[in-house]
Amino acid sequence: GQQLNQSPQSMFIQEGEDVSMNCTSSSIFNTWLWYKQDPGEGPVLLIALYKAGELTSNGRLTAQFGITRKDSFLNISASIPSDVGIYFCASNSGGYQKVTFGTGTKLQVIP
Amino acid sequence: ETGVTQSPTHLIKTRGQQVTLRCSSQSGHNTVSWYQQALGQGPQFIFQYYREEENGRGNFPPRFSGLQFPNYSSELNVNALELDDSALYLCASRMYRETGELFFGEGSRLTVL
């Protein structure tokens, strides 16, 4: 089945720093989605990407759909404590019913 | 807040028992899917319901079953519980079945002893 590999697996950063994480796949995808999950809650959609090369921002978050259609990255600028959580990339390119989630990147922000 | 509500939030069962989890979808969303999230992993697709019929299924055995009602709410039933069924069960609704933009509830944490 489809696998989405995220890196890094976890990261500790100082408040105010910028963060970059990425997601790769061996398959070509038509959509890339980024979700954030806070402890004890369900994932929340941050950004959706639908075209190769597309660059989309949502406040301090910026995500890009890779040109090869096999990768995507998410950047967070000027991190704050509430950015703490697990970030998942996802896609439903393998069949619209199923959304496949990546392995996750756990972000810790040190005040 | 997504408008998707799940109940119960936490429950404890023993091996061999059966469990029913419930979900109310966001207003206007006619498609509901269920995901299992084991500790430290990403959500795994169980199945999806659209217009009261199962509309796609992941790699889960038949003892995982579901229902969708005319008001688009849904149930997940798991029979013959096993220890590995311990997980967070997430319900997600979407505006139309082709989109990957999911709206998740807070989940039901199931512990099987």
Side-chain angles (χ1 to χ4, degrees):
Chain A
Q2 293 179 328
Q3 296 264 0
L4 297 177
N5 299 306
Q6 291 187 243
S7 64
Q9 190 173 21
S10 66
M11 53 198 314
F12 285 81
I13 60 167
Q14 291 281 351
E15 183 177 355
E17 287 184 345
D18 296 344
V19 175
S20 184
M21 60 189 79
N22 73 334
C23 185
T24 60
S25 172
S26 56
S27 305
I28 289 175
F29 283 168
N30 295 319
T31 63
W32 284 99
L33 306 143
W34 285 92
Y35 287 83
K36 182 193 176 203
Q37 187 173 27
D38 291 332
E41 298 187 13
V44 174
L45 180 66
L46 299 173
I47 292 178
L49 302 159
Y50 294 102
K51 252 165 58 168
E54 180 181 354
L55 185 73
T56 297
S57 293
N58 178 6
R60 294 179 296 106
L61 277 59
T62 302
Q64 184 157 28
F65 191 141
I67 293 289
T68 64
R69 294 163 62 194
K70 292 184 178 182
D71 61 354
S72 176
F73 71 75
L74 176 70
N75 285 346
I76 305 173
S77 62
S79 58
I80 59 178
S82 62
D83 291 332
V84 165
I86 304 176
Y87 291 79
F88 291 101
C89 63
S91 179
N92 66 331
S93 293
Y96 63 83
Q97 302 96 332
K98 170 184 175 180
V99 176
T100 299
F101 284 80
T103 49
T105 292
K106 186 173 183 178
L107 177 64
Q108 306 267 39
V109 178
I110 303 165
Chain B
E1 195 172 302
T2 63
V4 177
T5 57
Q6 293 187 241
S7 63
T9 53
H10 295 83
L11 68 168
I12 299 173
K13 294 282 187 178
T14 56
R15 268 188 305 177
Q17 284 189 312
Q18 178 265 341
V19 69
T20 297
L21 307 178
R22 295 178 175 83
C23 171
S24 293
S25 63
Q26 185 172 56
S27 177
H29 290 188
N30 59 15
T31 303
V32 172
S33 41
W34 287 90
Y35 287 78
Q36 181 195 65
Q37 186 176 24
L39 207 58
Q41 298 183 21
Q44 299 289 318
F45 176 70
I46 303 175
F47 45 55
Q48 173 173 291
Y49 277 83
Y50 171 69
R51 291 187 177 178
E52 301 177 53
E53 290 192 358
E54 188 178 293
N55 178 239
R57 190 177 184 95
N59 190 24
F60 282 82
R63 59 190 185 83
F64 285 78
S65 63
L67 283 173
Q68 187 180 31
F69 301 99
N71 66 354
Y72 306 135
S73 66
S74 178
E75 283 183 358
L76 165 66
N77 299 292
V78 188
N79 293 323
L81 284 167
E82 301 176 0
L83 296 179
D84 284 350
D85 294 335
S86 294
L88 181 68
Y89 288 86
L90 293 161
C91 170
S93 72
R94 46 179 133 182
M95 190 173 294
Y96 55 98
R97 58 182 180 161
E98 294 84 7
T99 181
E101 298 181 23
L102 302 174
F103 293 79
F104 284 93
E106 294 193 351
S108 294
R109 171 74 63 188
L110 171 65
T111 302
V112 182
L113 302 175

